[in-house]
Amino acid sequence: MNKTIRIETARGARFIVPLLFLRAAVSLSAALIFIAQASYGQSNSEASVAQRRAQHLRYGINASEWFAQVYDQKGYTKEHFEVWTTAQDIALIKAMGFDHVRLSVNPQPMWRRGQADRIPAEYLGYLDRAVQMIIDQGLAVIIDVHPDSDFKQKLTTDDSFVEQFADYWRALARHYATMNPELVSLEILNEPEFHDRYRWQGVQAKLAGAIREGAPRHTIIVAGAYWSSESELLFFDPLRDPNIIYNFHFYDPHIFTHQGATWSTNFVHYLKELPYPSTPENVQAAATLIPDAANRLQAIHYGLDRWNAARIDGEIVQIAEWAKRWNVQVTCNEFGVYRKAANPRDRAAWISDVRTTLEKYGIGWTMWDYSGGFGVVTKQEGHPAVPDGVTVKALGLKLPTLAQ
């Protein structure tokens, strides 16, 4: 016999409802509430692991041109790996006050087409020694998969290549699954070159799933499309995985941070000593160095935009509010200014303004880079690295005693 229950509303209306129907409705309502809560963001308890891990990623430096961006004749060889960044360099990183290293790793030298999960053991051995060298100094390490542009372009259109990349990541994650998850994080892809943000959402979710199969306890670091820009992160719907840190890169305004660079927008290679903060008046001299009138206007616009600490704050606060909304952890894994053509004083002012703004909102940071074109140190072959005191100060760190 189907039991019933009488329900009376606040206005006196009375209904007789089958008890089984009422129980089903209550169960469905609870399930919908659970799904809604689980779909976006994370509960406080779920977010605690990523929050704890983020405390190891507050003040970092990128170790570039070691296992990625290697363009000299030595290439990706044992000789290069042993001499480019040494135990002495890692000790200096620790002594300057950094708490983690983001280690760029190009997958292409160890990529086997059609069997990407079979990573060469010899190459992994070189990488293992580098990771262990960092951990031995008490530093956390982000293993940042950092391929060249042609590799990333294939991911934007080739589903088979995505499948192979997932195989590669599953195997790499499994290899590092035994290392301390409090100190080793796994970053899916540096600066994805996806203009289709919807495709990148799907591809990244698949890759995160492959990593999670290989390394169930390790924190995964993800990013928005279009070169990990902050605006693309704002578009991002958080993944359904509590142990994730969301990452963005900050190089705004690009015309200032990349002045003098030959690999960027073509006209910026003409620029030098473009000032920061910017005003309509103080950019005029640098703007005249650009021969093309349309490109010269970009420098004029930079002056009219009046880039300063308040403008930087206005950009980064958007990320802080997004993170608060979804109850997730965020970090800025790249920021910096190319050294070649920027005025050292203005370069330091921009670095200081970005760094202090990130810290204001509790966002960890990783400067680009250790000894490359944006470096915190200068380093010549055969000689120890020399910290740049102006840059170290801008980062809120201190020169080691021996370096003063």
Side-chain angles (χ1 to χ4, degrees):
M1 181 177 179
N2 189 11
K3 296 183 179 180
T4 61
I5 186 171
R6 179 176 295 178
I7 299 176
E8 184 171 339
T9 69
R11 296 190 178 185
R14 295 179 179 177
F15 301 92
I16 296 176
V17 180
L19 188 57
L20 288 176
F21 175 85
L22 183 62
R23 287 173 176 168
V26 171
S27 298
L28 178 60
S29 177
L32 290 174
I33 291 172
F34 173 80
I35 292 170
Q37 289 177 337
S39 295
Y40 299 107
Q42 306 296 341
S43 70
N44 288 332
S45 60
E46 289 175 322
S48 61
V49 174
Q51 185 177 29
R52 185 178 71 248
R53 305 269 173 82
Q55 298 310 304
H56 297 293
L57 306 175
R58 297 172 300 165
Y59 323 119
I61 194 70
N62 279 273
S64 62
E65 302 178 30
W66 189 10
F67 284 85
Q69 312 98 27
V70 179
Y71 305 117
D72 62 23
Q73 293 181 349
K74 295 176 183 176
Y76 294 91
T77 63
K78 182 176 183 290
E79 178 188 4
H80 171 79
F81 298 144
E82 290 179 346
V83 302
W84 184 262
T85 302
T86 66
Q88 186 178 7
D89 290 305
I90 303 303
L92 179 58
I93 288 171
K94 177 70 173 181
M96 284 188 285
F98 294 104
D99 67 359
H100 73 277
V101 172
R102 181 173 180 250
L103 178 58
S104 301
V105 178
N106 187 348
Q108 290 160 278
M110 48 179 152
W111 185 267
R112 292 179 173 177
R113 183 181 178 90
Q115 44 186 336
D117 54 329
R118 298 183 182 180
I119 304 173
E122 183 180 15
Y123 201 100
L124 274 179
Y126 302 142
L127 187 58
D128 288 347
R129 284 189 285 275
V131 172
Q132 192 61 53
M133 190 163 64
I134 295 168
I135 292 175
D136 286 346
Q137 283 290 341
L139 297 163
V141 59
I142 298 170
I143 297 176
D144 154 44
V145 171
H146 201 118
D148 294 338
S149 183
D150 60 336
F151 185 101
K152 293 187 286 184
Q153 285 296 321
K154 289 180 182 178
L155 295 171
T156 67
T157 59
D158 189 337
D159 292 343
S160 173
F161 198 73
V162 173
E163 295 284 348
Q164 292 181 62
F165 193 35
D167 288 343
Y168 167 83
W169 248 127
R170 188 180 296 106
L172 188 67
R174 185 176 296 119
H175 179 79
Y176 285 106
T178 58
M179 295 196 104
N180 186 349
E182 296 295 323
L183 296 179
V184 178
S185 301
L186 306 173
E187 183 172 343
I188 292 179
L189 184 67
N190 174 72
E191 296 190 347
E193 297 182 15
F194 284 66
H195 292 271
D196 183 347
R197 53 175 58 148
Y198 297 99
R199 177 175 172 85
W200 173 236
Q201 284 267 60
V203 169
Q204 182 159 236
K206 180 174 184 59
L207 297 173
I211 294 172
R212 185 56 72 223
E213 289 178 31
R217 299 183 301 147
H218 284 63
T219 298
I220 300 171
I221 297 179
V222 305
Y226 206 70
W227 285 267
S228 304
S229 67
E230 73 275 14
S231 60
E232 288 298 319
L233 188 59
L234 296 177
F235 167 82
F236 206 97
D237 286 342
L239 298 178
R240 297 183 184 182
D241 185 322
N243 192 8
I244 283 182
I245 295 176
Y246 296 82
N247 147 62
F248 68 101
H249 294 180
F250 192 84
Y251 288 106
D252 293 337
H254 198 270
I255 193 172
F256 172 76
T257 61
H258 284 69
Q259 59 182 295
T262 56
W263 69 90
S264 183
T265 308
N266 182 64
F267 70 84
V268 301
H269 80 274
Y270 288 108
L271 288 168
K272 64 179 179 179
E273 297 201 354
L274 184 68
Y276 172 87
S278 70
T279 68
E281 296 76 27
N282 71 5
V283 303
Q284 295 298 323
T288 62
L289 299 174
I290 303 174
D292 181 79
N295 291 331
R296 191 183 312 128
L297 186 59
Q298 300 303 312
I300 301 300
H301 283 164
Y302 166 65
L304 293 171
D305 287 344
R306 297 181 184 274
W307 275 91
N308 53 28
R311 174 64 189 271
I312 287 172
D313 188 292
E315 298 279 335
I316 292 175
V317 70
Q318 305 300 318
I319 296 294
E321 291 175 353
W322 177 88
K324 183 178 180 181
R325 173 191 178 194
W326 295 115
N327 190 31
V328 296
Q329 298 298 307
V330 294
T331 186
C332 178
N333 270 353
E334 284 189 26
F335 74 105
V337 181
Y338 186 50
R339 300 179 63 100
K340 181 179 179 180
N343 179 289
R345 181 188 66 253
D346 293 353
R347 175 177 177 270
W350 183 92
I351 289 172
S352 178
D353 286 347
V354 174
R355 187 264 305 173
T356 55
T357 303
L358 291 168
E359 292 176 358
K360 172 184 174 180
Y361 294 110
I363 299 173
W365 52 261
T366 317
M367 179 194 165
W368 188 273
D369 57 353
Y370 175 63
S371 61
F374 292 64
V376 70
V377 305
T378 57
K379 189 178 180 183
Q380 296 180 345
E381 189 172 355
H383 298 278
V386 178
D388 175 11
V390 175
T391 306
V392 172
K393 182 179 180 181
L395 291 171
L397 305 176
K398 292 183 179 181
L399 284 173
T401 303
L402 295 178
Q404 293 182 353

